[in-house]
C-alpha cells in the first residue's frame, strides 16, 4: 500500500545527474555514484553526463528536483564532500575552482537560473578530486566518498 508521500514523490520528476569522465581518474566520481545508486534502485531517473553545459541544461529541463554529483578541484583533501543547495543561491566559485568540463557546472546552473529552468529543488554534491590523468583509476579517498554520497542521496531523495 502506498502512502501519501509515496504518491507525491511519484508525481514529481526527480533526477540524479551524475557528471564526469569515466576515463580520467577522480573525474569519474559522479559516474561511480550513478553505478552505486543503480545497485540499490530508488524511484528516480539516474542520468550520466560528461558535463558539457548544454547537455546539463537539457537534462534539467522539466525536472521538479535535481540532485547533481560532480568532482571538483578546490584545493581541499581528495575525497572531501560538500553539499550545496543551488536552488537557494549560486554555487561558491571557490568550491569549483577548476572545471574539467570547460564551461563549468557553476555557469551551467546560473544560466539555468537566468532562463527559469533551474528546478525548485537543486542540490549539488561535490567530491574533491586529486587525480585526473587519462587512464588513471579513481583514488581510494574518492572511491570511499562515492559510497557516502550515494547513501546521502538515498536519504535526501527518500526523506529518511
Amino acid at each position: 500500500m502506498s502512502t501519501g508521500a509515496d504518491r507525491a514523490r511519484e508525481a514529481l520528476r526527480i533526477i540524479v545527474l551524475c557528471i564526469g569522465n569515466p576515463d580520467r581518474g577522480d573525474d569519474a566520481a559522479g559516474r561511480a555514484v550513478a553505478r552505486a545508486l543503480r545497485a540499490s534502485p530508488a524511484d528516480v531517473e539516474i542520468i550520466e553526463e560528461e558535463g558539457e553545459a548544454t547537455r546539463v541544461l537539457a537534462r534539467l529541463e522539466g525536472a521538479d528536483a535535481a540532485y547533481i554529483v560532480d568532482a571538483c578541484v578546490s584545493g581541499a583533501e581528495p575525497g572531501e564532500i560538500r553539499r550545496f543547495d543551488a536552488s537557494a543561491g549560486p554555487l561558491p566559485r571557490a568550491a569549483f575552482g577548476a572545471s574539467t568540463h570547460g564551461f563549468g557546472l557553476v555557469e551551467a546552473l546560473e544560466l539555468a537560473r537566468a532562463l527559469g529552468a533551474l528546478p525548485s529543488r537543486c542540490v549539488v554534491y561535490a567530491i574533491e578530486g586529486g587525480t585526473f590523468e587519462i587512464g588513471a583509476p579513481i583514488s581510494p579517498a574518492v572511491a570511499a566518498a562515492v559510497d557516502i554520497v550515494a547513501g546521502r542521496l538515498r536519504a535526501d531523495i527518500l526523506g529518511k
Side-chain angles (χ1 to χ4, degrees):
M1 174 177 228
S2 64
T3 66
D6 291 334
R7 285 188 296 279
R9 190 169 39 253
E10 289 170 11
L12 298 177
R13 179 171 176 248
I14 300 171
I15 66 168
V16 180
L17 180 56
C18 300
I19 298 172
N21 183 330
D23 299 319
R24 291 197 54 206
D26 291 343
D27 194 38
R31 307 288 281 268
V33 169
R35 286 190 304 277
L37 289 172
R38 285 189 183 109
S40 60
D43 193 21
V44 297
E45 186 178 344
I46 300 169
I47 303 166
E48 295 184 49
E49 283 290 346
E50 295 245 347
E52 197 273 321
T54 58
R55 298 283 304 162
V56 170
L57 287 170
R59 296 300 195 161
L60 292 174
E61 189 175 331
D64 296 296
Y67 296 86
I68 302 169
V69 183
D70 197 6
C72 68
V73 181
S74 69
E77 289 294 315
E80 184 174 317
I81 300 165
R82 287 188 247 24
R83 181 184 185 278
F84 302 99
D85 183 352
S87 50
L91 296 177
R93 289 196 185 277
F96 294 87
S99 172
T100 61
H101 312 297
F103 184 71
L105 180 60
V106 172
E107 293 83 7
L109 291 178
E110 288 314 301
L111 183 55
R113 188 185 318 278
L115 295 172
L118 190 70
S120 60
R121 174 111 173 110
C122 186
V123 173
V124 176
Y125 280 94
I127 300 174
E128 186 73 23
T131 304
F132 295 91
E133 290 79 31
I134 293 173
I138 291 181
S139 66
V142 170
V146 162
D147 291 333
I148 294 167
V149 169
R152 289 181 184 174
L153 280 165
R154 284 185 203 96
D156 271 357
I157 294 165
L158 299 174
K160 297 178 182 175

